[in-house]
Amino acid sequence: MEIIRGRVWKFGDDINTDVIAPGKYLKLPNEDMAKHVFEGIDPELPGKIKPGDIVVGGANFGSGSSRESAPAAIKYAGVSAVVAVFFARIFFRNAINLGLPVLECPEASKIQQSDELEIDMENGVIRNLTQSQVYKASRLPEHIQQLIRVGGLVPYLEQELAKESSANG
Amino acid sequence: MGLTITEKIMARASGRETVRPGELVWANVDMAMMQDSGGPRRIANNLEHLGVPVWDPDKVTIVSDHFVPPSNETEARIQTVTRAWVKKYGVSRFHEFQGICHIVPIERGYVRPGILMVGGDSHSCTGGAMGAMVVALGSTDMLGVLVTGRTWLRVPETIKIIWEGKLPVGTFAKDMVLANLKQLGTAGATYKVLEFSGETVTNLPLDERLILTNMSIEMGAKTGIIEPDDTVLRYMEGKDVEFNPVYSDPDAKYSKILVNEAEDLEPLVACPHSPDNVASADSLHGIALDQAFIGGCTGGKYHDLATAAAILKGRKIAVGTRLLVAPASQQVLQRALADGVLEVLLNAGATLLPSACGPCGGLSMGILSDGERCISSTNRNFRGRMGSSNSEVYLASAATVAASAVTGQISDPREFIRS
Ligand code: SF4
């Protein structure tokens, strides 16, 4: 997998999915929800987050509701990866299934707003170009990396089903 | 070494003798639930694109509760899409206008002791009170289950929460779980299972146990579970379904054991904007309220309504405070209607809402405006959860909510129960 490079939007601990993707917009499709991403924290944020940016959170990022709209809103806003000290379980799975790169890094709290990062997903390494630091992140198991690499669960299932039908045919 | 109830369910579902925490297993799913918000509307296109049927339509249940009844065209369309989808894929366990997605499947006997179930909603853990393992999944994860009937799961460690002794008057399961939230915090059980046990838990009626498992997710847990005892087995009688209850071995291994004394408990309230921001109701006395809400999958069951009615009988809610009541299901509503509970609530001045999610997730009806304050028997009080990000939600038992509706400010229900 290539190296992901981008500028940081920094958040604190316990960022829940209600503030990432507020309930009042749940009826909207994900593309439109993206226009409201993180609005529960700051109504100005959705306009400021640019494609390629990296979201960095503290502990328990993505807690609360199982709404896939939360990682989807982040992905459709163009965010290239999410780094956190650790993720809430359902958010973590949802992000992987959507092909949104997620990485757990105990040192994520050292990263500051607007820092420039370089993420090596394959080896679980984060380089902070602004602060000239290198952090170790937890390396995802190979089958999960593969899921992200192909773009999420849907393309993955597509491949698997194709394999099956060619094996049967 | 022995296994916990959760490990036994996971071992059986993945066709193995035994499993250990940390292992990744592929498990066969016995039942899958989706609701209208995260359900068919989110996966229909992708499923169509893959061009395969649902692996087993009899193992799927759809409960429309988030946008029910629809309050605008967009929501109405979501219902149409849902109806068309269940028809197309032959899903007969479809319930709309029947109640909330964590309550209806229990009432219908879909959540059986010993099964592995997945639910497309974070509070799917509620079903763990039936002695089942119910794990929440997002929409695309659920798509994988619909296609293959399987999902990958990490075998979680289990934290055992033991409650000993008798609950003091005026305290309920909600106070127990708020006390646990205060101990563990919102991330204290991340990736783990919470197994509730002990005499206090065994003495709770099923409606109350559901509150413990329901709010396990508030501590970050993968799910909550309670071993299925007589109360559960009796409930299952007459549902005409087969099941195999399993129980934790005496020498099962837990990552942590917390022992709580029920005698020490007092009515508790979770303050804005986090369910673990817990204080005693007594210490918050005098905080003025605009709205009180009794409803949702956590606090709208029959026991919640009856508890509120016991306090509201012969009383009126305070002028300037509104009390909204949304029964968790039509069955709950019917029962409350039949035995006079509903009449008491309405006579006290309550407004009856449909048996659906409604205000709980800020979806419809009972939305809070800037600066408004609500006390609620639901499970989450994140910023903006019920409307404006400048509104406040306090979480408490149905008894505390009812007492507070009477005074118009946060109040300790014990004063009302003694008098
Ligand atoms: S009642 Fe509230 S917590 Fe329960 S399923 Fe509905 S929105 Fe979620």
Side-chain angles (χ1 to χ4, degrees), chain B residues 92-403:
Chain B
S92 59
R93 297 169 196 262
F94 170 52
H95 307 284
E96 53 174 354
F97 295 88
Q98 289 304 309
I100 300 172
C101 65
H102 307 303
I103 303 303
V104 174
I106 294 176
E107 292 174 342
R108 306 285 162 143
Y110 305 160
V111 191
R112 291 160 283 143
I115 67 165
L116 174 71
M117 179 166 171
V118 292
D121 187 284
S122 66
H123 289 102
S124 299
C125 45
T126 313
M130 301 300 295
M133 182 184 188
V134 195
V135 183
L137 298 179
S139 313
T140 304
D141 237 348
M142 195 56 88
L143 175 74
V145 172
L146 292 178
V147 172
T148 64
R150 301 194 311 154
T151 193
W152 63 268
L153 295 168
R154 180 184 166 277
V155 180
E157 287 87 19
T158 299
I159 299 178
K160 190 174 191 171
I161 298 188
I162 301 174
W163 280 92
E164 309 267 20
K166 207 168 159 281
L167 277 174
V169 173
T171 60
F172 299 88
K174 188 59 162 283
D175 303 297
M176 294 164 68
V177 80
L178 289 179
N180 293 141
L181 260 154
K182 194 174 178 179
Q183 289 168 335
L184 286 170
T186 51
T190 303
Y191 296 116
K192 300 196 168 73
V193 166
L194 293 176
E195 183 179 326
F196 295 90
S197 69
E199 171 198 356
T200 326
V201 176
T202 320
N203 286 334
L204 292 175
L206 182 61
D207 271 4
E208 283 282 273
R209 297 180 190 190
L210 294 174
I211 295 180
L212 303 179
T213 45
N214 176 280
M215 289 190 68
S216 298
I217 180 71
E218 264 55 73
M219 292 168 260
K222 184 170 204 146
T223 192
I225 198 162
I226 301 174
E227 290 176 284
D229 63 1
D230 279 356
T231 301
V232 169
L233 300 181
R234 246 181 290 122
Y235 183 85
M236 290 306 294
E237 273 172 24
K239 300 246 183 259
D240 197 26
V241 288
E242 282 177 22
F243 56 89
N244 291 308
V246 288
Y247 300 88
S248 295
D249 291 325
D251 57 346
K253 206 168 167 304
Y254 295 92
S255 72
K256 196 192 285 186
I257 297 179
L258 291 174
V259 184
N260 298 275
E261 298 297 333
E263 278 92 349
D264 302 338
L265 208 56
E266 57 179 328
L268 297 173
V269 176
C271 301
H273 293 283
S274 184
D276 63 351
N277 188 12
V278 175
S280 73
D282 193 42
S283 71
L284 300 168
H285 195 92
I287 294 182
L289 300 164
D290 302 286
Q291 178 167 304
F293 177 52
I294 295 174
C297 53
T298 324
K301 292 163 278 85
Y302 176 79
H303 188 272
D304 304 303
L305 269 54
T307 304
I311 287 176
L312 291 169
K313 194 165 180 137
R315 295 192 167 100
K316 294 270 180 217
I317 59 170
V319 176
T321 305
R322 50 199 189 253
L323 171 62
L324 308 178
V325 176
S329 73
Q330 290 295 93
Q331 286 191 14
V332 168
L333 175 63
Q334 288 291 347
R335 191 169 161 200
L337 176 69
D339 68 3
V341 160
L342 189 64
E343 195 181 349
V344 173
L345 298 175
L346 296 181
N347 283 341
T351 298
L352 183 65
L353 299 185
S355 306
C357 297
C360 171
L363 298 164
S364 62
M365 291 178 283
I367 306 293
L368 301 173
S369 83
D370 254 14
E372 282 198 315
R373 208 177 273 140
C374 174
I375 189 161
S376 174
S377 67
T378 53
N379 47 33
R380 284 193 182 132
N381 60 347
F382 298 142
R383 188 181 286 283
R385 171 83 177 169
M386 278 194 184
S388 160
S389 31
N390 295 318
S391 60
E392 292 187 344
V393 179
Y394 290 78
L395 305 175
S397 72
T400 304
V401 173

Side-chain angles (χ1 to χ4, degrees), chain B residues 168-171 265-267 282 403 411-419:
Chain B
V169 173
T171 60
L265 208 56
E266 57 179 328
D282 193 42
S411 297
D412 189 323
R414 289 176 295 191
E415 296 161 30
F416 290 81
I417 295 172
R418 279 195 202 110
S419 61

Side-chain angles (χ1 to χ4, degrees), chain A residues 18 30 75 77 120:
Chain A
D18 273 81
N30 288 332
K75 186 184 152 135
D120 175 351

